[in-house]
Amino acid sequence: MTRGLKTLALRMERHCENALAIAHWLERQPKIEKVFYPGSRAIRSGTREAADGRGRRMVSAIVKGGESAALRFLERCEIFTLAESLGGVESLIEHPAIMTHASVPAEVRGEIGISDALVRLLLQRLLDFRDQVRDVLPSHRKPHERVA
């Protein structure tokens, strides 16, 4: 355990770098309506969450096109593993409306900000963020299109 603590700060820094990079990348994607991450444009406007992002490796986004578009987004990822619990060390992705918040009525989910188009990504610290972006990129393309 002590050996792991020696590199914790470096690992957390990498988590945050990856998460911020993918948040900025998602903000530029035409099929993404909104990104939720400290330091992203959507919340840089002085809210309590507009911190520097230290210690955070989860990025949430609302996919344009509703639940069906969000599900396509999930299905086309290969590096990100679909998981209800985002407590792992690998790159994970989830759809709260049908997973963690499935038992919450739709109107209540809407009131608390859980859109049917919301996806959450948990970034893996050791992968280069570009590899994680390349995994999410096909989710914005038709299945027959190739990624350069």
Side-chain angles (χ1 to χ4, degrees), residues 60-105:
S60 298
I62 296 179
V63 180
K64 287 181 184 173
E67 184 176 3
S68 61
L71 293 175
R72 278 193 308 277
F73 185 95
L74 298 174
E75 291 167 355
R76 293 183 179 160
C77 291
E78 294 177 3
I79 291 175
F80 286 89
T81 302
L82 187 62
E84 189 160 342
S85 168
L86 298 181
V89 296
E90 61 270 41
S91 296
L92 302 172
I93 192 166
E94 74 135 346
H95 185 254
I98 63 168
M99 297 174 90
T100 55
H101 292 73
S103 64
V104 178

mmCIF file of all heavy atoms in Angstrom, residues 60-105:
data_model
loop_
_atom_site.group_PDB
_atom_site.id
_atom_site.type_symbol
_atom_site.label_atom_id
_atom_site.label_comp_id
_atom_site.label_asym_id
_atom_site.label_seq_id
_atom_site.Cartn_x
_atom_site.Cartn_y
_atom_site.Cartn_z
ATOM 1 N N SER A 60 -19.162 13.814 -17.734
ATOM 2 C CA SER A 60 -20.530 13.502 -18.139
ATOM 3 C C SER A 60 -20.890 14.366 -19.334
ATOM 4 O O SER A 60 -20.415 15.492 -19.457
ATOM 5 C CB SER A 60 -21.505 13.789 -16.991
ATOM 6 O OG SER A 60 -21.219 12.970 -15.882
ATOM 7 N N ALA A 61 -21.721 13.819 -20.207
ATOM 8 C CA ALA A 61 -22.126 14.566 -21.399
ATOM 9 C C ALA A 61 -23.546 14.190 -21.779
ATOM 10 O O ALA A 61 -23.968 13.053 -21.564
ATOM 11 C CB ALA A 61 -21.181 14.272 -22.559
ATOM 12 N N ILE A 62 -24.253 15.153 -22.354
ATOM 13 C CA ILE A 62 -25.577 14.888 -22.912
ATOM 14 C C ILE A 62 -25.402 14.777 -24.417
ATOM 15 O O ILE A 62 -24.886 15.684 -25.067
ATOM 16 C CB ILE A 62 -26.581 15.995 -22.544
ATOM 17 C CG1 ILE A 62 -26.779 16.000 -21.022
ATOM 18 C CG2 ILE A 62 -27.898 15.793 -23.291
ATOM 19 C CD1 ILE A 62 -27.718 17.062 -20.513
ATOM 20 N N VAL A 63 -25.809 13.635 -24.942
ATOM 21 C CA VAL A 63 -25.687 13.356 -26.364
ATOM 22 C C VAL A 63 -26.934 13.880 -27.070
ATOM 23 O O VAL A 63 -28.054 13.629 -26.626
ATOM 24 C CB VAL A 63 -25.546 11.831 -26.600
ATOM 25 C CG1 VAL A 63 -25.409 11.522 -28.082
ATOM 26 C CG2 VAL A 63 -24.353 11.279 -25.823
ATOM 27 N N LYS A 64 -26.733 14.641 -28.148
ATOM 28 C CA LYS A 64 -27.880 15.132 -28.926
ATOM 29 C C LYS A 64 -28.600 13.937 -29.544
ATOM 30 O O LYS A 64 -27.968 13.013 -30.030
ATOM 31 C CB LYS A 64 -27.415 16.070 -30.033
ATOM 32 C CG LYS A 64 -26.976 17.419 -29.540
ATOM 33 C CD LYS A 64 -26.561 18.318 -30.689
ATOM 34 C CE LYS A 64 -26.036 19.637 -30.165
ATOM 35 N NZ LYS A 64 -25.481 20.448 -31.256
ATOM 36 N N GLY A 65 -29.921 13.989 -29.520
ATOM 37 C CA GLY A 65 -30.700 12.915 -30.131
ATOM 38 C C GLY A 65 -31.378 12.005 -29.129
ATOM 39 O O GLY A 65 -31.974 11.002 -29.500
ATOM 40 N N GLY A 66 -31.255 12.320 -27.846
ATOM 41 C CA GLY A 66 -31.980 11.567 -26.829
ATOM 42 C C GLY A 66 -31.386 10.219 -26.484
ATOM 43 O O GLY A 66 -30.221 9.928 -26.749
ATOM 44 N N GLU A 67 -32.242 9.390 -25.899
ATOM 45 C CA GLU A 67 -31.795 8.092 -25.383
ATOM 46 C C GLU A 67 -31.223 7.197 -26.474
ATOM 47 O O GLU A 67 -30.202 6.545 -26.273
ATOM 48 C CB GLU A 67 -32.954 7.383 -24.679
ATOM 49 C CG GLU A 67 -32.543 6.076 -24.046
ATOM 50 C CD GLU A 67 -33.664 5.420 -23.260
ATOM 51 O OE1 GLU A 67 -34.792 5.938 -23.232
ATOM 52 O OE2 GLU A 67 -33.387 4.361 -22.670
ATOM 53 N N SER A 68 -31.855 7.148 -27.633
ATOM 54 C CA SER A 68 -31.365 6.258 -28.693
ATOM 55 C C SER A 68 -29.960 6.660 -29.139
ATOM 56 O O SER A 68 -29.107 5.797 -29.380
ATOM 57 C CB SER A 68 -32.330 6.223 -29.881
ATOM 58 O OG SER A 68 -32.461 7.506 -30.450
ATOM 59 N N ALA A 69 -29.694 7.944 -29.218
ATOM 60 C CA ALA A 69 -28.348 8.408 -29.596
ATOM 61 C C ALA A 69 -27.347 8.083 -28.488
ATOM 62 O O ALA A 69 -26.212 7.695 -28.768
ATOM 63 C CB ALA A 69 -28.364 9.906 -29.880
ATOM 64 N N ALA A 70 -27.768 8.234 -27.237
ATOM 65 C CA ALA A 70 -26.880 7.906 -26.121
ATOM 66 C C ALA A 70 -26.549 6.417 -26.116
ATOM 67 O O ALA A 70 -25.393 6.029 -25.881
ATOM 68 C CB ALA A 70 -27.519 8.313 -24.795
ATOM 69 N N LEU A 71 -27.524 5.580 -26.404
ATOM 70 C CA LEU A 71 -27.284 4.138 -26.447
ATOM 71 C C LEU A 71 -26.340 3.765 -27.594
ATOM 72 O O LEU A 71 -25.462 2.915 -27.432
ATOM 73 C CB LEU A 71 -28.600 3.377 -26.547
ATOM 74 C CG LEU A 71 -29.504 3.477 -25.309
ATOM 75 C CD1 LEU A 71 -30.835 2.788 -25.558
ATOM 76 C CD2 LEU A 71 -28.815 2.928 -24.076
ATOM 77 N N ARG A 72 -26.505 4.410 -28.759
ATOM 78 C CA ARG A 72 -25.567 4.176 -29.871
ATOM 79 C C ARG A 72 -24.159 4.587 -29.468
ATOM 80 O O ARG A 72 -23.179 3.918 -29.790
ATOM 81 C CB ARG A 72 -26.007 4.946 -31.124
ATOM 82 C CG ARG A 72 -27.074 4.256 -31.917
ATOM 83 C CD ARG A 72 -27.268 4.886 -33.298
ATOM 84 N NE ARG A 72 -27.465 6.335 -33.266
ATOM 85 C CZ ARG A 72 -28.621 6.937 -33.031
ATOM 86 N NH1 ARG A 72 -29.708 6.229 -32.806
ATOM 87 N NH2 ARG A 72 -28.712 8.253 -33.036
ATOM 88 N N PHE A 73 -24.050 5.712 -28.759
ATOM 89 C CA PHE A 73 -22.764 6.201 -28.257
ATOM 90 C C PHE A 73 -22.101 5.111 -27.413
ATOM 91 O O PHE A 73 -20.928 4.803 -27.581
ATOM 92 C CB PHE A 73 -23.027 7.463 -27.435
ATOM 93 C CG PHE A 73 -21.810 8.165 -26.928
ATOM 94 C CD1 PHE A 73 -21.263 9.216 -27.625
ATOM 95 C CD2 PHE A 73 -21.225 7.795 -25.714
ATOM 96 C CE1 PHE A 73 -20.148 9.892 -27.139
ATOM 97 C CE2 PHE A 73 -20.113 8.459 -25.230
ATOM 98 C CZ PHE A 73 -19.574 9.511 -25.950
ATOM 99 N N LEU A 74 -22.864 4.511 -26.504
ATOM 100 C CA LEU A 74 -22.331 3.461 -25.634
ATOM 101 C C LEU A 74 -21.921 2.223 -26.420
ATOM 102 O O LEU A 74 -20.855 1.650 -26.178
ATOM 103 C CB LEU A 74 -23.389 3.033 -24.602
ATOM 104 C CG LEU A 74 -23.894 4.061 -23.619
ATOM 105 C CD1 LEU A 74 -25.036 3.468 -22.797
ATOM 106 C CD2 LEU A 74 -22.794 4.534 -22.707
ATOM 107 N N GLU A 75 -22.770 1.804 -27.331
ATOM 108 C CA GLU A 75 -22.558 0.563 -28.072
ATOM 109 C C GLU A 75 -21.327 0.588 -28.960
ATOM 110 O O GLU A 75 -20.736 -0.453 -29.236
ATOM 111 C CB GLU A 75 -23.789 0.246 -28.930
ATOM 112 C CG GLU A 75 -25.005 -0.130 -28.118
ATOM 113 C CD GLU A 75 -26.285 -0.132 -28.933
ATOM 114 O OE1 GLU A 75 -26.253 0.263 -30.128
ATOM 115 O OE2 GLU A 75 -27.330 -0.514 -28.373
ATOM 116 N N ARG A 76 -20.927 1.751 -29.412
ATOM 117 C CA ARG A 76 -19.818 1.836 -30.362
ATOM 118 C C ARG A 76 -18.459 2.003 -29.696
ATOM 119 O O ARG A 76 -17.444 2.050 -30.382
ATOM 120 C CB ARG A 76 -20.079 2.956 -31.361
ATOM 121 C CG ARG A 76 -21.270 2.621 -32.242
ATOM 122 C CD ARG A 76 -21.517 3.650 -33.278
ATOM 123 N NE ARG A 76 -22.665 3.251 -34.093
ATOM 124 C CZ ARG A 76 -23.370 4.075 -34.816
ATOM 125 N NH1 ARG A 76 -23.054 5.348 -34.851
ATOM 126 N NH2 ARG A 76 -24.389 3.646 -35.527
ATOM 127 N N CYS A 77 -18.430 2.091 -28.399
ATOM 128 C CA CYS A 77 -17.147 2.201 -27.691
ATOM 129 C C CYS A 77 -16.524 0.823 -27.504
ATOM 130 O O CYS A 77 -17.229 -0.154 -27.269
ATOM 131 C CB CYS A 77 -17.345 2.862 -26.322
ATOM 132 S SG CYS A 77 -17.771 4.600 -26.431
ATOM 133 N N GLU A 78 -15.197 0.751 -27.606
ATOM 134 C CA GLU A 78 -14.485 -0.512 -27.430
ATOM 135 C C GLU A 78 -13.536 -0.482 -26.233
ATOM 136 O O GLU A 78 -13.400 -1.470 -25.528
ATOM 137 C CB GLU A 78 -13.729 -0.867 -28.702
ATOM 138 C CG GLU A 78 -14.661 -1.165 -29.864
ATOM 139 C CD GLU A 78 -13.921 -1.457 -31.141
ATOM 140 O OE1 GLU A 78 -12.678 -1.496 -31.144
ATOM 141 O OE2 GLU A 78 -14.601 -1.652 -32.166
ATOM 142 N N ILE A 79 -12.844 0.621 -26.010
ATOM 143 C CA ILE A 79 -11.941 0.724 -24.858
ATOM 144 C C ILE A 79 -12.758 0.910 -23.587
ATOM 145 O O ILE A 79 -12.485 0.297 -22.565
ATOM 146 C CB ILE A 79 -10.937 1.878 -25.030
ATOM 147 C CG1 ILE A 79 -9.945 1.556 -26.146
ATOM 148 C CG2 ILE A 79 -10.183 2.144 -23.727
ATOM 149 C CD1 ILE A 79 -8.993 2.690 -26.463
ATOM 150 N N PHE A 80 -13.778 1.742 -23.661
ATOM 151 C CA PHE A 80 -14.634 1.981 -22.505
ATOM 152 C C PHE A 80 -15.537 0.769 -22.309
ATOM 153 O O PHE A 80 -16.202 0.317 -23.230
ATOM 154 C CB PHE A 80 -15.502 3.234 -22.709
ATOM 155 C CG PHE A 80 -14.737 4.508 -22.584
ATOM 156 C CD1 PHE A 80 -14.111 5.074 -23.679
ATOM 157 C CD2 PHE A 80 -14.631 5.146 -21.352
ATOM 158 C CE1 PHE A 80 -13.397 6.256 -23.567
ATOM 159 C CE2 PHE A 80 -13.917 6.334 -21.224
ATOM 160 C CZ PHE A 80 -13.299 6.884 -22.340
ATOM 161 N N THR A 81 -15.559 0.256 -21.090
ATOM 162 C CA THR A 81 -16.390 -0.885 -20.743
ATOM 163 C C THR A 81 -17.688 -0.373 -20.123
ATOM 164 O O THR A 81 -17.654 0.472 -19.227
ATOM 165 C CB THR A 81 -15.657 -1.785 -19.724
ATOM 166 O OG1 THR A 81 -14.413 -2.203 -20.292
ATOM 167 C CG2 THR A 81 -16.484 -2.988 -19.334
ATOM 168 N N LEU A 82 -18.808 -0.904 -20.597
ATOM 169 C CA LEU A 82 -20.099 -0.530 -20.033
ATOM 170 C C LEU A 82 -20.190 -1.110 -18.623
ATOM 171 O O LEU A 82 -20.010 -2.311 -18.426
ATOM 172 C CB LEU A 82 -21.229 -1.071 -20.905
ATOM 173 C CG LEU A 82 -22.642 -0.644 -20.546
ATOM 174 C CD1 LEU A 82 -22.795 0.865 -20.669
ATOM 175 C CD2 LEU A 82 -23.647 -1.356 -21.434
ATOM 176 N N ALA A 83 -20.428 -0.250 -17.643
ATOM 177 C CA ALA A 83 -20.478 -0.698 -16.251
ATOM 178 C C ALA A 83 -21.376 0.221 -15.440
ATOM 179 O O ALA A 83 -21.354 1.434 -15.622
ATOM 180 C CB ALA A 83 -19.070 -0.707 -15.656
ATOM 181 N N GLU A 84 -22.145 -0.357 -14.550
ATOM 182 C CA GLU A 84 -23.014 0.457 -13.700
ATOM 183 C C GLU A 84 -22.219 1.135 -12.609
ATOM 184 O O GLU A 84 -22.463 2.275 -12.247
ATOM 185 C CB GLU A 84 -24.114 -0.413 -13.090
ATOM 186 C CG GLU A 84 -25.148 0.413 -12.387
ATOM 187 C CD GLU A 84 -26.454 -0.318 -12.194
ATOM 188 O OE1 GLU A 84 -26.700 -1.321 -12.864
ATOM 189 O OE2 GLU A 84 -27.236 0.152 -11.352
ATOM 190 N N SER A 85 -21.238 0.441 -12.062
ATOM 191 C CA SER A 85 -20.385 1.017 -11.026
ATOM 192 C C SER A 85 -19.146 1.591 -11.692
ATOM 193 O O SER A 85 -18.477 0.908 -12.464
ATOM 194 C CB SER A 85 -19.962 -0.064 -10.023
ATOM 195 O OG SER A 85 -18.928 0.425 -9.201
ATOM 196 N N LEU A 86 -18.854 2.837 -11.403
ATOM 197 C CA LEU A 86 -17.694 3.482 -12.017
ATOM 198 C C LEU A 86 -16.498 3.489 -11.069
ATOM 199 O O LEU A 86 -15.694 4.395 -11.075
ATOM 200 C CB LEU A 86 -18.060 4.908 -12.447
ATOM 201 C CG LEU A 86 -19.174 5.004 -13.489
ATOM 202 C CD1 LEU A 86 -19.441 6.448 -13.850
ATOM 203 C CD2 LEU A 86 -18.831 4.195 -14.728
ATOM 204 N N GLY A 87 -16.354 2.452 -10.271
ATOM 205 C CA GLY A 87 -15.289 2.401 -9.286
ATOM 206 C C GLY A 87 -14.043 1.672 -9.737
ATOM 207 O O GLY A 87 -13.131 1.488 -8.956
ATOM 208 N N GLY A 88 -13.966 1.234 -10.968
ATOM 209 C CA GLY A 88 -12.814 0.469 -11.433
ATOM 210 C C GLY A 88 -11.650 1.346 -11.842
ATOM 211 O O GLY A 88 -11.722 2.570 -11.808
ATOM 212 N N VAL A 89 -10.575 0.701 -12.251
ATOM 213 C CA VAL A 89 -9.393 1.437 -12.700
ATOM 214 C C VAL A 89 -9.351 1.556 -14.214
ATOM 215 O O VAL A 89 -8.565 2.298 -14.758
ATOM 216 C CB VAL A 89 -8.081 0.788 -12.191
ATOM 217 C CG1 VAL A 89 -8.002 0.847 -10.691
ATOM 218 C CG2 VAL A 89 -7.944 -0.633 -12.698
ATOM 219 N N GLU A 90 -10.214 0.805 -14.916
ATOM 220 C CA GLU A 90 -10.236 0.865 -16.368
ATOM 221 C C GLU A 90 -11.135 1.999 -16.836
ATOM 222 O O GLU A 90 -11.806 2.634 -16.039
ATOM 223 C CB GLU A 90 -10.695 -0.484 -16.955
ATOM 224 C CG GLU A 90 -12.085 -0.890 -16.547
ATOM 225 C CD GLU A 90 -12.180 -1.707 -15.272
ATOM 226 O OE1 GLU A 90 -11.472 -1.421 -14.296
ATOM 227 O OE2 GLU A 90 -13.000 -2.618 -15.233
ATOM 228 N N SER A 91 -11.149 2.244 -18.138
ATOM 229 C CA SER A 91 -12.031 3.255 -18.711
ATOM 230 C C SER A 91 -13.439 2.670 -18.750
ATOM 231 O O SER A 91 -13.665 1.627 -19.344
ATOM 232 C CB SER A 91 -11.583 3.618 -20.129
ATOM 233 O OG SER A 91 -10.317 4.217 -20.101
ATOM 234 N N LEU A 92 -14.371 3.351 -18.100
ATOM 235 C CA LEU A 92 -15.740 2.845 -17.984
ATOM 236 C C LEU A 92 -16.719 3.871 -18.532
ATOM 237 O O LEU A 92 -16.432 5.066 -18.576
ATOM 238 C CB LEU A 92 -16.074 2.552 -16.514
ATOM 239 C CG LEU A 92 -15.152 1.560 -15.810
ATOM 240 C CD1 LEU A 92 -15.456 1.513 -14.319
ATOM 241 C CD2 LEU A 92 -15.278 0.172 -16.430
ATOM 242 N N ILE A 93 -17.883 3.395 -18.930
ATOM 243 C CA ILE A 93 -18.935 4.267 -19.428
ATOM 244 C C ILE A 93 -20.269 3.740 -18.921
ATOM 245 O O ILE A 93 -20.438 2.532 -18.757
ATOM 246 C CB ILE A 93 -18.901 4.352 -20.978
ATOM 247 C CG1 ILE A 93 -19.788 5.475 -21.492
ATOM 248 C CG2 ILE A 93 -19.213 3.027 -21.618
ATOM 249 C CD1 ILE A 93 -19.535 5.839 -22.952
ATOM 250 N N GLU A 94 -21.192 4.650 -18.640
ATOM 251 C CA GLU A 94 -22.510 4.221 -18.181
ATOM 252 C C GLU A 94 -23.591 5.158 -18.679
ATOM 253 O O GLU A 94 -23.327 6.282 -19.085
ATOM 254 C CB GLU A 94 -22.551 4.096 -16.655
ATOM 255 C CG GLU A 94 -22.589 5.414 -15.940
ATOM 256 C CD GLU A 94 -23.613 5.465 -14.804
ATOM 257 O OE1 GLU A 94 -24.485 4.593 -14.696
ATOM 258 O OE2 GLU A 94 -23.539 6.426 -14.045
ATOM 259 N N HIS A 95 -24.814 4.656 -18.637
ATOM 260 C CA HIS A 95 -26.010 5.402 -19.021
ATOM 261 C C HIS A 95 -26.912 5.442 -17.795
ATOM 262 O O HIS A 95 -27.654 4.487 -17.528
ATOM 263 C CB HIS A 95 -26.688 4.698 -20.201
ATOM 264 C CG HIS A 95 -27.851 5.450 -20.745
ATOM 265 N ND1 HIS A 95 -29.156 5.064 -20.523
ATOM 266 C CD2 HIS A 95 -27.916 6.579 -21.494
ATOM 267 C CE1 HIS A 95 -29.970 5.910 -21.123
ATOM 268 N NE2 HIS A 95 -29.246 6.841 -21.712
ATOM 269 N N PRO A 96 -26.859 6.509 -16.997
ATOM 270 C CA PRO A 96 -27.583 6.553 -15.731
ATOM 271 C C PRO A 96 -29.085 6.279 -15.827
ATOM 272 O O PRO A 96 -29.652 5.631 -14.946
ATOM 273 C CB PRO A 96 -27.330 7.980 -15.220
ATOM 274 C CG PRO A 96 -26.056 8.380 -15.863
ATOM 275 C CD PRO A 96 -26.067 7.724 -17.212
ATOM 276 N N ALA A 97 -29.745 6.734 -16.886
ATOM 277 C CA ALA A 97 -31.204 6.581 -16.987
ATOM 278 C C ALA A 97 -31.636 5.119 -17.007
ATOM 279 O O ALA A 97 -32.731 4.792 -16.545
ATOM 280 C CB ALA A 97 -31.740 7.307 -18.215
ATOM 281 N N ILE A 98 -30.805 4.237 -17.530
ATOM 282 C CA ILE A 98 -31.184 2.812 -17.582
ATOM 283 C C ILE A 98 -30.324 1.959 -16.657
ATOM 284 O O ILE A 98 -30.505 0.745 -16.603
ATOM 285 C CB ILE A 98 -31.126 2.250 -19.023
ATOM 286 C CG1 ILE A 98 -29.712 2.290 -19.580
ATOM 287 C CG2 ILE A 98 -32.110 2.972 -19.922
ATOM 288 C CD1 ILE A 98 -29.529 1.507 -20.864
ATOM 289 N N MET A 99 -29.412 2.592 -15.928
ATOM 290 C CA MET A 99 -28.540 1.825 -15.045
ATOM 291 C C MET A 99 -28.708 2.301 -13.602
ATOM 292 O O MET A 99 -29.590 1.840 -12.898
ATOM 293 C CB MET A 99 -27.092 1.922 -15.534
ATOM 294 C CG MET A 99 -26.911 1.307 -16.932
ATOM 295 S SD MET A 99 -25.288 1.534 -17.626
ATOM 296 C CE MET A 99 -24.472 0.080 -17.022
ATOM 297 N N THR A 100 -27.883 3.223 -13.166
ATOM 298 C CA THR A 100 -27.880 3.645 -11.764
ATOM 299 C C THR A 100 -29.175 4.312 -11.320
ATOM 300 O O THR A 100 -29.527 4.252 -10.147
ATOM 301 C CB THR A 100 -26.716 4.611 -11.490
ATOM 302 O OG1 THR A 100 -26.798 5.711 -12.399
ATOM 303 C CG2 THR A 100 -25.382 3.914 -11.631
ATOM 304 N N HIS A 101 -29.892 4.966 -12.230
ATOM 305 C CA HIS A 101 -31.111 5.683 -11.868
ATOM 306 C C HIS A 101 -32.358 5.089 -12.538
ATOM 307 O O HIS A 101 -33.379 5.758 -12.672
ATOM 308 C CB HIS A 101 -30.982 7.168 -12.217
ATOM 309 C CG HIS A 101 -29.983 7.882 -11.375
ATOM 310 N ND1 HIS A 101 -28.621 7.712 -11.529
ATOM 311 C CD2 HIS A 101 -30.140 8.736 -10.342
ATOM 312 C CE1 HIS A 101 -27.991 8.443 -10.639
ATOM 313 N NE2 HIS A 101 -28.887 9.082 -9.901
ATOM 314 N N ALA A 102 -32.287 3.829 -12.943
ATOM 315 C CA ALA A 102 -33.407 3.191 -13.640
ATOM 316 C C ALA A 102 -34.668 3.126 -12.790
ATOM 317 O O ALA A 102 -35.781 3.194 -13.316
ATOM 318 C CB ALA A 102 -33.009 1.790 -14.099
ATOM 319 N N SER A 103 -34.523 3.015 -11.478
ATOM 320 C CA SER A 103 -35.697 2.904 -10.605
ATOM 321 C C SER A 103 -36.325 4.258 -10.278
ATOM 322 O O SER A 103 -37.394 4.325 -9.686
ATOM 323 C CB SER A 103 -35.319 2.191 -9.303
ATOM 324 O OG SER A 103 -34.377 2.964 -8.586
ATOM 325 N N VAL A 104 -35.662 5.332 -10.699
ATOM 326 C CA VAL A 104 -36.179 6.677 -10.442
ATOM 327 C C VAL A 104 -37.128 7.053 -11.587
ATOM 328 O O VAL A 104 -36.750 6.946 -12.759
ATOM 329 C CB VAL A 104 -35.010 7.701 -10.346
ATOM 330 C CG1 VAL A 104 -35.529 9.109 -10.133
ATOM 331 C CG2 VAL A 104 -34.033 7.293 -9.253
ATOM 332 N N PRO A 105 -38.348 7.486 -11.272
ATOM 333 C CA PRO A 105 -39.276 7.876 -12.342
ATOM 334 C C PRO A 105 -38.675 8.944 -13.263
ATOM 335 O O PRO A 105 -37.917 9.811 -12.818
ATOM 336 C CB PRO A 105 -40.482 8.434 -11.579
ATOM 337 C CG PRO A 105 -40.399 7.817 -10.214
ATOM 338 C CD PRO A 105 -38.926 7.649 -9.940
#
